[in-house]
């Protein structure tokens, strides 16, 4: 009855569902009631199944959620692993490059070590030779031996330069036709001492019987003695040859090199020419330092007198260089033969050997 009351109550129309009210006939009431009862029981079974299914699915859903979270964690770990792999790959490449560099440096270091070993061996040999040389020079015996070698060298130089004096004898003209050997030229002194007050007349000296009147210092004219000019050129050629021989025997490189050609000899000056030029060109010459020598003739025929006079001046500067090398002062730029004679006389004197 209670069910019937519920059904009746449920069948009563509500105000909100008046439009959906279903009128059931009394004859069909039992059938409808049976149908509702079956539906109620089916609904109850469905709820029970739902609850049981929910109880069954809850652990699975929880496992699925845990699996999903773990999958996310694994994905993150996989990404980190890939990043680590990339870093390790870069480090591996750098390590390979470092190993190759180390091998190259090791090879170069090995070469340097071998070169150092060779240099050390050479240094030890040089040290042994130095010790042997020191032992040879040590004491009175070694010093005396060195002095003897130097004395022999100076004696050899004296002999060779005596041959030059025999080849080109320098004499002083006393009379109109008499000549005598010039033993010493007044006015010379050792370096550091005062010069004498008296000097030799350049015109009184002869070389191989020829006077050196130095005609390049005067202008050529139609009335100039051509033979005198030729004799002066020949005498300058003799002096140039003697200077070349003496400088080679003394092992002194001339400041102004000579190009010997007899009476057609030349002398070189490495100073830049004093010709007008632009400042840029002058700066280029100064920076490069590779200046070609300028030749000046030691003769007057067919030449400019100024150039020939400058050539004689340079020749005397070479003589002055040789005189200073053996410790003697020069008389001046106009005493070519006197400077040459004093150079030969000083080298042949006993004092030259005593300086050893």
């Amino acid at each position: 009855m209670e069910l019937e009351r519920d059904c009746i109550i449920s069948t009563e129309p509500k105000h909100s569902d008046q439009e959906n009210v279903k009128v059931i006939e009394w004859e069909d009431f039992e059938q409808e009631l049976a149908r509702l009862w079956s539906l109620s029981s089916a609904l109850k079974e469905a709820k029970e199944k739902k609850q049981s299914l929910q109880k069954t699915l809850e652990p699975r859903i929880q496992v699925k959620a845990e699996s999903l979270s773990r999958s996310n964690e694994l994905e993150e770990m996989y990404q980190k692993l890939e990043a680590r792999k990339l870093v390790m790959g870069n480090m591996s490449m750098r390590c390979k490059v470092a190993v190759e560099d180390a091998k190259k440096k090791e090879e170069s270091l090995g070469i340097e070590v071998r070169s150092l070993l060779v240099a050390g061996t050479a240094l030890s040999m040089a040290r042994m030779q130095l010790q042997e040389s020191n032992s040879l020079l040590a004491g009175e015996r070694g010093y005396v031996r060195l002095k003897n070698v130097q004395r022999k060298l100076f004696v050899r130089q004296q002999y060779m330069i005596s041959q030059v004096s025999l080849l080109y004898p320098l004499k002083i003209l006393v009379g109109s036709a008499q000549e005598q050997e010039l033993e010493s030229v007044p006015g010379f002194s050792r370096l550091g001492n005062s010069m004498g007050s008296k000097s030799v007349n350049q015109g009184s000296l002869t070389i191989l019987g020829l006077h050196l009147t130095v005609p390049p210092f005067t202008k050529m004219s139609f009335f100039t003695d051509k033979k005198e000019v030729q004799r002066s050129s020949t005498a300058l050629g003799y002096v140039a040859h003697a200077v070349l021989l003496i400088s080679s025997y003394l092992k002194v490189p001339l400041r102004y090199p000579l190009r010997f050609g007899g009476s057609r000899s030349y002398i070189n000056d490495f100073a830049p020419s004093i010709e007008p030029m632009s400042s840029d060109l002058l700066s280029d010459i100064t920076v490069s330092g590779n200046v070609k020598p300028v030749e000046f003739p030691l003769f007057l025929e067919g030449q400019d007198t100024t150039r020939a006079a400058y050539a004689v001046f340079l020749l005397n500067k070479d003589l002055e260089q040789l005189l200073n090398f053996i410790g003697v002062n020069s008389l001046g730029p106009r005493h070519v033969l006197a400077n040459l004679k004093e150079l030969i006389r000083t080298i042949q004197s006993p004092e030259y050997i005593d300086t050893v």
Side-chain angles (χ1 to χ4, degrees), residues 98-140:
V99 168
E100 292 178 357
D101 292 341
K103 288 182 179 179
K104 291 180 181 179
K105 289 182 179 179
E106 185 179 1
E107 292 176 357
S108 63
L109 185 61
I111 295 172
E112 291 179 358
V113 168
R114 287 193 293 271
S115 63
L116 284 175
L117 290 175
V118 174
T121 306
L123 182 61
S124 62
M125 293 177 63
R127 185 177 297 170
M128 292 175 60
Q129 292 177 357
L130 181 61
Q131 291 176 354
E132 292 176 358
S133 301
N134 288 334
S135 62
L136 289 174
L137 291 176
E140 186 178 354

Side-chain angles (χ1 to χ4, degrees), residues 18-78:
Q18 289 180 2
E19 295 179 359
N20 297 324
V21 172
K22 183 179 179 182
V23 179
I24 300 173
E25 298 293 335
W26 179 256
E27 290 82 8
D28 299 327
F29 177 74
E30 291 183 357
Q31 293 180 357
E32 189 68 24
L33 185 63
R35 189 177 66 81
L36 290 174
W37 177 258
S38 63
L39 287 173
S40 176
S41 60
L43 181 62
K44 185 176 181 181
E45 289 178 1
K47 286 182 179 180
E48 292 176 354
K49 287 182 178 179
K50 178 181 177 183
Q51 290 177 356
S52 63
L53 184 62
Q54 186 175 3
K55 291 179 181 179
T56 304
L57 288 177
E58 278 181 357
R60 293 184 180 181
I61 291 171
Q62 187 175 2
V63 170
K64 185 68 175 176
E66 291 178 357
S67 175
L68 184 61
S69 64
R70 289 186 178 181
S71 177
N72 293 334
E73 291 178 358
L74 286 174
E75 184 68 22
E76 291 178 359
M77 293 177 65
Y78 178 75

Side-chain angles (χ1 to χ4, degrees), residues 165-314:
S165 66
L166 291 177
L167 182 62
Y168 298 111
L170 286 160
K171 296 181 180 180
I172 184 170
L173 183 64
V174 177
S176 59
Q178 292 181 351
E179 289 182 341
Q180 67 176 15
E181 290 289 340
L182 183 63
E183 294 298 331
S184 178
V185 179
F188 279 95
S189 67
R190 288 285 176 179
L191 287 175
N193 298 332
S194 60
M195 296 286 292
S197 60
K198 190 178 179 181
S199 61
V200 172
N201 184 11
Q202 181 74 5
S204 63
L205 282 172
T206 61
I207 179 169
L208 205 60
L210 295 178
H211 286 284
L212 183 60
T213 55
V214 196
F217 286 95
T218 60
K219 290 186 177 181
M220 290 284 291
S221 65
F222 181 77
F223 299 101
T224 303
D225 189 356
K226 307 299 184 194
K227 292 184 179 180
E228 184 67 23
V229 171
Q230 291 176 358
R231 285 193 291 269
S232 296
S233 300
T234 304
L236 284 172
Y238 292 161
V239 175
H241 192 205
V243 170
L244 272 176
L245 293 176
I246 294 172
S247 66
S248 64
Y249 299 153
L250 296 180
K251 303 297 182 184
V252 177
L254 293 175
R255 187 175 294 110
Y256 304 103
L258 289 160
R259 183 165 68 87
F260 180 67
S263 60
R264 292 295 182 271
S265 300
Y266 289 86
I267 190 165
N268 293 322
D269 185 10
F270 285 90
S273 60
I274 315 174
E275 295 180 357
M277 58 180 66
S278 64
S279 59
D280 295 336
L281 186 58
L282 187 60
S283 62
D284 291 341
I285 292 175
T286 305
V287 170
S288 63
N290 190 12
V291 182
K292 293 183 179 179
V294 181
E295 282 192 337
F296 294 93
L298 284 168
F299 55 93
L300 190 61
E301 294 176 279
Q303 300 294 330
D304 183 23
T305 56
T306 305
R307 291 173 61 84
Y310 186 65
V312 177
F313 171 77
L314 295 181

